[in-house]
Amino acid sequence: MTQAAPRKTILRALAGETLPVPPVWMMRQAGRYLPEYRATRAQAGDFLTLCYTPELAAEVTLQPIRRYRFDASILFADILLVPQALGADLWFVTGEGPRLSTITDGAGVAALKPVEAIHETLSPVYETVRILARELPGEVTLIGFAGAPWTVATYMIAGRGTPDQGPAHAMKAAEPAAFDALMERITEATIEYLMAQVAAGAEVVKIFDSWAGSLQGDDFTRYALEPARRIVGALKARHPGLPVIVFPRQAGDHYVGFARATGADCVALDNSVDADWAARHVQVDGCVQGNLAPHHLVEGGPALVSETKRIVRAFSGGPHIFNLGHGITPEADPENVHRMLEAIRG
Ligand code: 1CP
């Protein structure tokens, strides 16, 4: 082994190393399926207070590490804190999800705060990162994150999650200049936000483009690939060795070449793509992460074990970080996570 080889398993995989046992973490690993998360969330009172109280946000980030010894921990926060920091109203309706004030035209974009103002709102998040950098076990990698501009824009335009991102597509068609200005503001804010997370101690960052799958053809290049390329480029210009994971969820064939085109070190795969296909067409460019369907952690049983082993086998010829294809759901059984880990680690 050379002196320069990073020691943490996640960093080794992100650097392109093929490991005998893939490192593992789970999207939404701090979440409602865990009784200890529900207890801390009740103590906080509501979700946003949990996000903005560094001691409590750090506590829920650490809970799944204590229980499962995952190889990475992901900062507890939400992609919708950036719109709030830019001046949008944000609240969560229990049992339904997030709600935001809506942006439909150029006046709405012009009323947003300047990018430099985001730290006023987001500084508690940086404090959470600093606590985690101190308290995480030495072998666990700390991942920071942000939403990708398109996904964040879909929430800022519609004011909520939408099945087809219709309002964002409509604004893109009807008010192209205002839409581009919104994308620009979010892109700049995202660079600023991720830089601050890295300065506070995040070792890796991940960009979540949960709704990339609704962009097709030139739109995919313009609104998913190009913003990711800009964010990765800006981050690496300042921090040349910083590993970046990109998650263009449901990108299908657009997964091919996405890492190369954006400069990212790893592509996260959702569970709509086949692992053998992705090994041949995506993993050829470097590390991949994913793609177990989250429902297996609800059902458990032999399918959980066989699917987990099939994914490990499919990606065993190259760098791989085991993960789910999307976030673990509140209905998941915490015992099934132990069964998944046993199937991976033996
Ligand atoms: O306790 C609760 O009620 C909260 C459920 C919850 C949690 C645990 C929300 C509300 N956000 C989070 C945390 C969160 N969100 C993390 C923390 C770290 C971890 O993974 O453990 C991360 C990375 C996110 C990212 C996020 N938030 C995304 C991108 C990933 C994805 O799931 O596609 C998105 C789209 C959001 C918005 C959001 N926040 C919460 C919900 C329920 C949603 C989805 C809303 C919708 O589209 O209807």
Side-chain angles (χ1 to χ4, degrees):
M1 204 165 64
T2 66
Q3 194 98 48
R7 220 169 33 87
K8 296 184 184 187
T9 49
I10 294 272
L11 298 179
R12 289 169 63 189
L14 289 169
E17 215 180 305
T18 304
L19 299 168
V21 175
V24 50
W25 67 281
M26 294 192 311
M27 281 188 263
R28 294 274 170 99
Q29 62 191 21
R32 284 168 292 177
Y33 73 108
L34 289 180
E36 57 269 37
Y37 171 85
R38 295 195 296 270
T40 309
R41 190 180 182 290
Q43 189 189 338
D46 67 89
F47 177 69
L48 284 175
T49 305
L50 180 54
C51 291
Y52 287 123
T53 309
E55 295 71 25
L56 297 182
E59 166 58 23
V60 295
T61 307
L62 290 165
Q63 287 167 349
I65 303 302
R66 292 188 197 116
R67 197 187 255 259
Y68 302 116
R69 296 177 37 249
F70 286 123
D71 296 278
S73 103
I74 183 159
L75 163 70
F76 189 85
D78 197 82
I79 65 164
L80 300 177
L81 304 188
V82 165
Q84 188 178 36
L86 284 170
D89 294 328
L90 171 67
W91 66 102
F92 279 81
V93 180
T94 311
E96 287 187 37
R99 295 290 182 274
L100 299 91
S101 46
T102 59
I103 290 182
T104 51
D105 56 17
V109 180
L112 290 172
K113 294 183 188 169
V115 164
E116 311 77 63
I118 64 169
H119 303 304
E120 243 170 80
T121 303
L122 297 170
S123 58
V125 177
Y126 314 145
E127 181 55 23
T128 305
V129 174
R130 281 191 288 270
I131 296 173
L132 290 167
R134 268 198 318 270
E135 294 195 0
L136 276 169
E139 69 281 8
V140 179
T141 300
L142 176 55
I143 303 175
F145 75 93
W150 162 249
T151 288
V152 171
T154 67
Y155 289 93
M156 292 180 81
I157 294 164
R160 59 193 297 162
T162 46
D164 59 357
Q165 297 73 59
H169 285 289
M171 181 175 167
K172 171 160 61 64
E175 300 264 2
F179 179 80
D180 284 352
L182 178 60
M183 287 289 289
E184 180 64 27
R185 186 74 60 93
I186 301 169
T187 302
E188 290 295 328
T190 303
I191 292 168
E192 185 79 15
Y193 180 45
L194 290 174
M195 292 273 199
Q197 291 183 28
V198 173
E203 301 171 275
V204 172
V205 298
K206 177 167 174 184
I207 303 165
F208 285 87
D209 210 349
S210 303
W211 301 117
S214 81
L215 293 167
Q216 298 189 310
D218 289 346
D219 271 1
F220 183 88
T221 306
R222 200 159 162 194
Y223 300 119
L225 193 146
E226 189 55 27
R229 192 188 64 75
R230 265 185 62 196
I231 295 166
V232 174
L235 290 170
K236 284 182 182 268
R238 177 86 68 85
H239 304 281
L242 177 75
V244 183
I245 305 170
V246 285
F247 182 32
R249 191 170 75 90
Q250 306 221 301
D253 284 346
H254 289 300
Y255 271 122
V256 180
F258 196 83
R260 225 179 321 128
T262 58
D265 303 271
C266 178
V267 178
L269 301 162
D270 64 71
N271 44 276
S272 72
V273 298
D274 177 69
D276 288 313
W277 174 86
R280 280 197 307 276
H281 297 285
V282 186
Q283 200 186 24
V284 287
D285 286 336
C287 190
V288 293
Q289 174 185 277
N291 74 335
L292 183 72
H295 67 80
H296 286 297
L297 293 159
V298 179
E299 297 140 22
L304 167 63
V305 174
S306 61
E307 266 303 284
T308 299
K309 290 191 166 169
R310 189 178 71 81
I311 291 166
V312 170
R313 204 177 321 116
F315 293 124
S316 61
H320 173 218
I321 297 168
F322 194 93
N323 205 310
L324 313 184
H326 202 190
I328 187 168
T329 56
E331 302 75 31
D333 178 350
E335 280 311 304
N336 284 335
V337 178
H338 283 300
R339 292 178 191 116
M340 177 191 82
L341 289 171
E342 173 68 23
I344 299 165
R345 292 171 171 166

